[in-house]
Amino acid sequence: MIGAPVPVWIPTLGAVANFLLVVPVVIIVLNLFGTLSGRYRALSGSVTLRFIFVSMLGFVLASALNFALSMRGFTQIAQFTLLTGLRDWLILYACFSTAMFGAAYFILPRLTEREWRSPALVKAHFGATVVGVLLLTVGLAYGAGSRAGC
């Protein structure tokens, strides 16, 4: 809303409210990664944990981008680029969807009392998800940089 026909205090209030989220986000990130501290070898044995780890990384990236987009100087340059779309896709796909995939791969075998028929397909799904997140992130970030004249 920088440069929009609204009073100056409205975008400023939005930026202040967004920066009030810094402390909760830092606490959540420390809690998530503190849970894994020293146990990163568990990632190699659990596809579910890998999905959750990708979700945690997506949350960190989306939060950092959200804080960057709250700064007036940065937003004046980046508000008409693809960075806001990148933030939204990071939240939706890299954070939420991968967490739901991991939850499904954890919960469904326990509910049905049956293992997945093909663990190779579960690993292929994880690989395709990571490739999709990377292509989406790199593509939108490159597009945002090229549109901003970087």
Side-chain angles (χ1 to χ4, degrees):
M1 292 179 55
I2 304 293
V6 296
V8 174
W9 64 270
I10 292 176
T12 304
L13 185 63
V16 168
N18 199 15
F19 275 104
L20 288 175
L21 291 174
V22 169
V23 173
V25 166
V26 168
I27 290 171
I28 289 169
V29 168
L30 288 174
N31 189 12
L32 290 173
F33 286 103
T35 302
L36 275 178
S37 66
R39 297 182 200 100
Y40 289 103
R41 289 188 180 176
L43 286 171
S44 63
S46 173
V47 177
T48 300
L49 189 56
R50 284 186 246 167
F51 273 110
I52 300 302
F53 186 74
V54 170
S55 177
M56 290 173 9
L57 291 177
F59 176 75
V60 170
L61 287 173
S63 297
L65 191 55
N66 195 36
F67 293 139
L69 287 170
S70 294
M71 292 186 267
R72 185 178 301 270
F74 184 76
T75 302
Q76 286 177 337
I77 296 169
Q79 69 182 345
F80 298 116
T81 65
L82 297 173
L83 283 179
T84 55
L86 173 60
R87 179 198 55 204
D88 296 341
W89 279 110
L90 279 172
I91 292 169
L92 181 66
Y93 188 58
C95 186
F96 177 75
S97 293
T98 56
M100 291 302 105
F101 292 149
Y105 284 125
F106 182 78
I107 294 170
L108 288 176
R110 284 158 179 79
L111 286 177
T112 60
E113 297 179 355
R114 298 178 71 190
E115 290 298 318
W116 294 101
R117 287 188 181 188
S118 176
L121 285 178
V122 174
K123 289 179 183 177
H125 179 216
F126 173 74
T129 301
V130 169
V131 168
V133 167
L134 287 175
L135 286 175
L136 184 71
T137 303
V138 170
L140 283 174
Y142 178 76
S146 64
R147 289 180 82 185
C150 294

